[in-house]
Amino acid sequence: MSGDEDAKRGRPPRERSADAMIEQRPSEERRKSSAALDEARLRQQAIGVRLRQMFDEIVNEDVPEEFLEILRRADSRSETR
């Protein structure tokens, strides 16, 4: 709708342009924040990769024989009850 049509219908004129609705930041500032976000994402990705590696290492470790013996004794006690 044009401003004339708004006035005919008793509406206040629209004063906001499309530029006013879109946040205007200097392109250099946008690049800096984008670079910072990219760096943060890369850091998070590297942390995630390392955590998965550590988890896989731990999951694939052998269970100590002493722990297995404790589990066997617990199982045998529960069977006798």
Side-chain angles (χ1 to χ4, degrees):
M1 249 184 233
S2 70
D4 291 337
E5 289 177 38
D6 285 336
K8 286 179 188 175
R9 294 180 179 211
R11 295 181 182 152
R14 294 182 184 175
E15 296 178 20
R16 295 180 69 189
S17 67
D19 289 339
M21 290 185 222
I22 300 171
E23 182 180 343
Q24 298 294 314
R25 288 191 288 171
S27 61
E28 185 177 324
E29 183 181 331
R30 237 180 306 176
R31 274 190 233 116
K32 284 180 186 176
S33 66
S34 177
L37 284 174
D38 289 345
E39 184 179 339
R41 285 186 187 112
L42 287 173
R43 232 181 291 125
Q44 287 178 341
Q45 185 179 18
I47 291 169
V49 167
R50 184 62 186 133
L51 284 172
R52 281 188 287 281
Q53 288 172 344
M54 292 170 61
F55 178 81
D56 288 343
E57 289 171 11
I58 291 169
V59 167
N60 292 323
E61 284 182 5
D62 292 335
V63 178
E65 190 59 40
E66 296 97 11
F67 187 70
L68 290 173
E69 184 57 37
I70 292 169
L71 292 173
R72 284 186 201 109
R73 281 188 271 157
D75 282 344
S76 67
R77 285 184 189 156
S78 66
E79 289 174 3
T80 58
R81 292 186 182 173

